[in-house]
Amino acid sequence: MSRTVKIGTRGSQLALVQAHMVEGWIKAAAPDVQVELVIIKTTGDRFVDRPLSTLGGKGVFVKEIEDALVANQVDCAVHSMKDVPTDLAPGLIIASIPERADVRDALIARDGLNLAKLPTGASVGTSSLRRMALLRAARADLEIVPLRGNVDTRLRKLDNGEFAAITLAAAGLQRLGIKRPDICPLPTSDFLPAIGQGALAIETRPDWVGELVRAFNHEPTRLAVIAERAFLARVGGSCRTPLAAHATIDGDAVTIDALIASMDGTRIVRETRRGPAASGNELAVALADKLLADGGRAILDELEAHGG
């Protein structure tokens, strides 16, 4: 009798593309296993008219899917890693982190303009407080406007003239096969990515499904992402905090670049550490402590005081 793997996923086009990627990998690795996708609506999907920062903090795209995993209603979940809190639901593991895609943010502007050429006062839509802060740091004269919805919705609002430009994750555009001449990737030197951006997380219980999907793990990506998540855990930030961290693996070495920013982008505390890849977590924790001591704690305290 063949076994079945039920994959829990959000219902957005991007989430389904990512879930189908994992479905294909499972079928190739274990042809005798049946795969079924189970679409689960999360808090983040139900309230698309509200900023993510008002929806209760961490895990707004993950909690309901984790609940289904704990209840044995699904056997694994496919998440965008940047949506996954550092504290998983009890009894669950990140069994696999496949090879990372493009980590960069991308600007898409009407008339194909880049960030420097947008006119003064131009409206730029984004759902991310990190992107808001970094956009304000780069161009304080722009009007940064909250923008929710799936990729198609955001592109339609841009094309309808509701915004002069929008920002999205380059990886999502690439996975959806969206190729537009007006896509302008933003350099990580100015727009440091979100923790885990461009990476997928395959979450399971510690059972045979976890063992099966572990084959899809990409070790350099795993080392980089767990270092970034160690930084996040140490800082204690959430979707209400403009944070960024990007780790890269070069042979046996890891480089971690991270920042804490104020909402208006006028204060950015940023630093880089490099050391042995096997010590990535320790480096990330030390980097977090340094940024907090150098002004990051004051920024976070201020955000907390103002309900951020």
Side-chain angles (χ1 to χ4, degrees):
M1 186 174 181
S2 65
R3 295 182 290 183
T4 299
V5 173
K6 294 183 178 181
I7 300 177
T9 177
R10 296 170 57 206
S12 73
Q13 186 181 6
L14 177 57
L16 291 173
V17 165
Q18 294 173 168
H20 281 301
M21 287 169 54
V22 176
E23 176 187 18
W25 297 340
I26 291 174
K27 287 180 175 179
D32 61 321
V33 171
Q34 303 298 309
V35 183
E36 176 184 339
L37 265 56
V38 179
I39 297 174
I40 299 168
K41 184 165 281 193
T42 67
T43 300
D45 298 312
R46 289 199 302 270
F47 300 101
V48 296
D49 57 339
R50 291 164 55 182
L52 290 176
S53 57
T54 68
L55 294 180
K58 304 176 181 180
V60 294
F61 290 121
V62 172
K63 182 182 182 302
E64 288 82 358
I65 302 176
E66 284 194 329
D67 290 345
L69 260 176
V70 171
N72 293 311
Q73 295 167 352
V74 299
D75 302 299
C76 73
V78 181
H79 308 293
S80 293
M81 179 60 88
K82 63 185 177 63
D83 295 333
V84 181
T86 53
D87 296 324
L88 304 180
L92 301 182
I93 60 171
I94 301 297
S96 181
I97 304 176
E99 186 171 5
R100 195 175 212 167
D102 195 332
V103 302
R104 293 174 296 176
D105 294 321
L107 181 85
I108 309 176
R110 294 204 308 273
D111 304 320
L113 299 178
N114 61 28
L115 183 60
K117 292 183 178 178
L118 289 175
T120 298
S123 61
V124 181
T126 181
S127 64
S128 159
L129 297 188
R130 173 190 60 86
R131 290 178 186 142
M132 289 182 181
L134 296 179
L135 283 165
R136 288 169 177 145
R139 289 283 309 271
D141 58 301
L142 297 175
E143 181 188 7
I144 311 303
V145 184
L147 172 62
R148 291 285 315 281
N150 60 33
V151 173
D152 283 345
T153 297
R154 299 187 203 191
L155 289 173
R156 184 170 63 251
K157 289 184 176 183
L158 170 69
D159 293 336
N160 288 344
E162 296 181 42
F163 299 90
I166 62 174
T167 57
L168 294 165
L173 294 168
Q174 291 166 7
R175 287 181 179 136
L176 287 169
I178 295 173
K179 298 178 181 179
R180 297 170 50 129
D182 52 0
I183 295 174
C184 179
L186 296 168
T188 59
S189 56
D190 297 319
F191 285 82
L192 199 62
I195 285 99
Q197 185 157 310
L200 298 181
I202 307 178
E203 188 177 20
T204 70
R205 298 179 295 274
D207 56 16
W208 71 272
V209 178
E211 289 297 321
L212 174 62
V213 302
R214 188 167 287 120
F216 316 142
N217 189 71
H218 183 253
E219 188 61 11
T221 297
R222 186 188 72 84
L223 289 171
V225 168
I226 63 171
E228 294 167 13
R229 287 168 61 79
F231 170 83
L232 176 62
R234 185 68 164 188
V235 171
S238 71
C239 65
R240 296 188 292 265
T241 311
L243 295 176
H246 179 218
T248 54
I249 304 296
D250 181 13
D252 294 329
V254 60
T255 302
I256 309 172
D257 190 0
L259 66 79
I260 301 171
S262 63
M263 278 299 303
D264 60 7
T266 59
R267 288 172 293 159
I268 296 178
V269 186
R270 180 171 179 173
E271 192 164 317
T272 301
R273 289 284 174 94
R274 182 176 173 84
S279 302
N281 284 21
E282 292 82 356
L283 283 170
V285 168
L287 179 55
D289 289 342
K290 183 68 165 58
L291 293 186
L292 290 170
D294 286 352
R297 174 56 62 195
I299 292 172
L300 295 181
D301 289 345
E302 184 178 294
L303 286 167
E304 184 68 25
H306 289 83

